[in-house]
Amino acid sequence: EPEVTQTPSHQVTQMGQEVILRCVPISNHLYFYWYRQILGQKVEFLVSFYNNEISEKSEIFDDQFSVERPDGSNFTLKIRSTKLEDSAMYFCASRGARGVRSTGELFFGEGSRLTVL
Amino acid sequence: DQQVKQNSPSLSVQEGRISILNCDYTNSMFDYFLWYKKYPAEGPTFLISISSIKDKNEDGRFTVFLNKSAKHLSLHIVPSQPGDSAVYFCAASVGGTYKYIFGTGTRLKVLA
């Protein structure tokens, strides 16, 4: 069964450092997302990406964040200068178009745990 | 601005009985609702969805009910099994947007 894969599974970084989280969405999906979950809290929307551009972003997704689909298969989230409060589990998700064959649900990866010290 | 709320942070149910997980929403523009299950250190896994033009959708042991007038949906699991123990999130989206908004989750514990 196709799945969304994420790397790394866990990254520890120093405050102020740049971090890149990588995702390989399901191959025929067109919509890509990043969500995050701070420990014990809700799953929060960060950004959605479609047709090679950001379609929506939340207030959390400020200038420190960026997303890219550099080569048609990978989908990356970059945090330019990490802060302590960026420590969270980051989930990548993808979906196909809603239609007869798809209910348009998001398929999530296993997550990348980011720890900022 | 909590548009999707799950007011019960936890629920314990005996194995074999029915589990009912509830979700309320405030945005009447939501047209699509989903339930996800999440185990620790794993990504959310899709369970079942419902369009706003329906009031019920069933898939095996899982049934989702939607009450649009009350802006309320619920997930019924029957019979509940110990493997169902997880955190359950409801999510909603507005047609024409790309964003799915998640509730805060309810931790279900099914006791053997």
Side-chain angles (χ1 to χ4, degrees):
Chain A
E1 187 177 313
E3 58 181 19
V4 176
T5 57
Q6 289 186 242
T7 54
S9 56
H10 188 193
Q11 180 151 0
V12 181
T13 190
Q14 294 290 325
M15 194 169 57
Q17 295 296 303
E18 176 183 282
V19 159
I20 297 176
L21 304 178
R22 291 183 168 80
C23 170
V24 179
I26 293 173
S27 61
N28 61 348
H29 282 183
L30 303 174
Y31 303 86
F32 313 111
Y33 301 77
W34 284 100
Y35 281 80
R36 78 172 186 191
Q37 185 183 30
I38 295 170
L39 187 63
Q41 298 187 24
K42 64 192 282 186
V43 177
E44 299 175 292
F45 169 79
L46 290 179
V47 66
S48 59
F49 192 85
Y50 170 70
N51 202 24
N52 284 320
E53 61 182 23
I54 290 174
S55 42
E56 280 192 82
K57 59 183 181 179
S58 71
E59 294 169 355
I60 303 167
F61 194 88
D62 61 21
D63 292 342
Q64 292 299 312
F65 291 88
S66 63
V67 288
E68 201 175 39
R69 191 158 155 81
D71 56 13
S73 61
N74 290 287
F75 179 51
T76 61
L77 174 69
K78 183 194 290 186
I79 310 174
R80 278 185 248 288
S81 177
T82 50
K83 303 188 285 283
L84 294 175
E85 53 265 37
D86 293 328
S87 295
M89 192 74 138
Y90 288 80
F91 293 105
C92 174
S94 69
R95 72 171 179 93
R98 287 184 201 167
V100 173
R101 293 181 187 164
S102 167
T103 51
E105 67 269 21
L106 297 182
F107 290 82
F108 283 85
E110 295 284 296
S112 293
R113 179 171 298 285
L114 176 64
T115 302
V116 182
L117 302 176
Chain B
D1 175 25
Q2 251 188 317
Q3 297 189 62
V4 181
K5 301 182 216 178
Q6 293 176 256
N7 292 318
S8 299
S10 64
L11 174 69
S12 290
V13 169
Q14 206 65 36
E15 181 180 7
R17 307 295 287 267
I18 185 170
S19 295
I20 300 177
L21 298 135
N22 294 303
C23 181
D24 296 296
Y25 60 95
T26 55
N27 189 342
S28 57
M29 298 298 291
F30 286 144
D31 67 343
Y32 199 69
F33 304 89
L34 309 92
W35 281 96
Y36 280 83
K37 172 180 174 178
K38 186 180 180 303
Y39 294 116
E42 291 186 15
T45 304
F46 171 74
L47 276 177
I48 192 168
S49 62
I50 188 166
S51 161
S52 61
I53 62 173
K54 295 187 175 180
D55 53 22
K56 177 182 173 181
N57 188 25
E58 193 171 348
D59 184 2
R61 296 186 299 115
F62 302 94
T63 304
V64 56
F65 294 92
L66 176 62
N67 182 336
K68 286 189 290 294
S69 60
K71 294 195 179 69
H72 177 85
L73 67 154
S74 61
L75 174 69
H76 292 209
I77 306 173
V78 56
S80 301
Q81 299 171 353
D84 295 330
S85 297
V87 178
Y88 288 78
F89 293 93
C90 66
S93 74
V94 177
T97 76
Y98 302 92
K99 186 168 66 176
Y100 289 66
I101 297 174
F102 281 73
T104 49
T106 297
R107 183 177 301 279
L108 173 66
K109 191 170 184 179
V110 180
L111 307 168

